[in-house]
Structures are given as C-alpha cells and as structure tokens.
Amino acid sequence: PTDEASSTAATPIPFSFAHILEALVEPIVITTILVINALVGGYQSLNASKGISALKSMQAQKAIVKLNSGGDSLSNAAVVEEEVDAASLVPGDVVILTVGQKVPADIRLVSVSTSTFTVDEACLTGESDSVAKMPYRGDLSNSNNSQNKGGGSTMGVHATGMLYGGTVITSGKGVGVVVRTAMDTEMGKVSLLIL
C-alpha cells in the first residue's frame, strides 16, 4: 500500500496548452478592460481640453472702458475712454460697445446711441438670427439680483437688456455695465459643464 501511495504522489500533473490558456484568461480580460478604460479616459480628457480651448478663443481679449480722469463730476470732460485687457474687468466697470466687438463679460446694456442694437448669441443659444437688444429701464433689485446671488442664469430674465460674454455685436453702438466676469458668466457656466 505504501508503494501505491508514493507512486500516486509522484505522478506529474498533465501539462497542456489548454491549462495555460485557462489560467491566462482572467488576467488578459482584466488587462484589456484597463487599457480600454485608459483610452476612453484619455479621449474624453482630450475632448474636454479642446472644448475649453474653443471657449477661451471665443472670449474677447480687449475692452474699451470709461474712466474718471479726475475731478468730482462725471462730465464728459472728466471721463476718458481707455482700452484694457478683458480679464481685468470687474463688476461695475462701464464698457463701450461697438459693432463687430466680442462682448468681454456679461454686461447690462445701459444706453444705445444707434437706432438698432443686435447681438449674435449663436454660441450660447444656437439661434441663427441676431437678437435685438435694448437698455433695461426697470427695477433690477428684485428679480435679477436675487437670481445672481443664487448663481442662477439670467438667460430669459430681462434678456433683452443683457449681453453675454463671447457673443458678438452685429449692429449698433452702446454703453453697458459689467455685471459678471470669468466663471460667473453664462459662458463660464458652460465651461464648468464641460469639465
């Protein structure tokens, strides 16, 4: 009986290609899944960076602002126009708006010196036609400011008096006041959705 037990223990396990293949299936599947996951993640990251670059290229680089050159009054003699980097704008800055210009931030239109003032908002709304804008003359303290504090959108709320960063003025000349800059703008909110 001891000879049979020792001969059974010494018998080699059959070694075949099927056994090797069976042992490698699980690691191959896991490695394949990891490689596919890395490729999809890289592709999505590349698309997101392209989207952010496209949004950055849509933003205005310069803006013409009205500055008080000194004195106590805001008469025409005391106000000068100066070109500044759009990135340096802050809420409350008064901006001169002309045809062909990219809107440098979200701006409330204060006055218009031409018969029409239209803006191409296709980059935000997809509308193919330019949108007519007119200065807002109502009370902004209730509706618009409560929206702004909550980070909500003003698209649709007094939208005829709002100009949005990245859009293009197609006709007219006017003056507006910056209300939101950088990531607080409608375009900034779009870029946050891409990230």
Side-chain angles (χ1 to χ4, degrees), residues 47-94:
N47 280 344
S49 66
K50 284 181 181 177
I52 295 295
S53 296
L55 287 173
K56 284 182 182 178
S57 70
M58 293 172 69
Q59 294 299 315
Q61 301 300 314
K62 299 285 183 183
I64 299 174
V65 296
K66 284 189 172 188
L67 299 172
N68 186 353
S69 64
D72 294 330
S73 75
L74 284 177
S75 67
N76 287 338
V79 175
V80 294
E81 295 177 6
E82 184 176 319
E83 187 175 64
V84 298
D85 287 333
S88 67
L89 292 176
V90 295
D93 283 345
V94 178

Side-chain angles (χ1 to χ4, degrees), residues 4 7 19 23 111 160-161 189:
E4 289 177 16
S7 67
H19 285 94
S111 68
T160 58
K189 292 173 188 172

Side-chain angles (χ1 to χ4, degrees), residues 86-143:
S88 67
L89 292 176
V90 295
D93 283 345
V94 178
V95 179
I96 308 296
L97 306 159
T98 58
V99 66
Q101 176 185 4
K102 283 185 183 178
V103 179
D106 284 3
I107 294 175
R108 180 166 292 111
L109 191 58
V110 175
S111 68
V112 175
S113 59
T114 55
S115 60
T116 60
F117 192 94
T118 58
V119 179
D120 179 5
E121 294 182 344
C123 61
L124 284 175
T125 63
E127 295 178 28
S128 59
D129 294 334
S130 294
V131 179
K133 299 290 182 173
M134 64 182 91
Y136 181 69
R137 301 280 184 222
D139 179 21
L140 297 170
S141 61
N142 297 333
S143 58

Side-chain angles (χ1 to χ4, degrees), residues 15-22:
F15 186 72
S16 69
F17 183 70
H19 285 94
I20 295 173
L21 193 60
E22 188 177 312

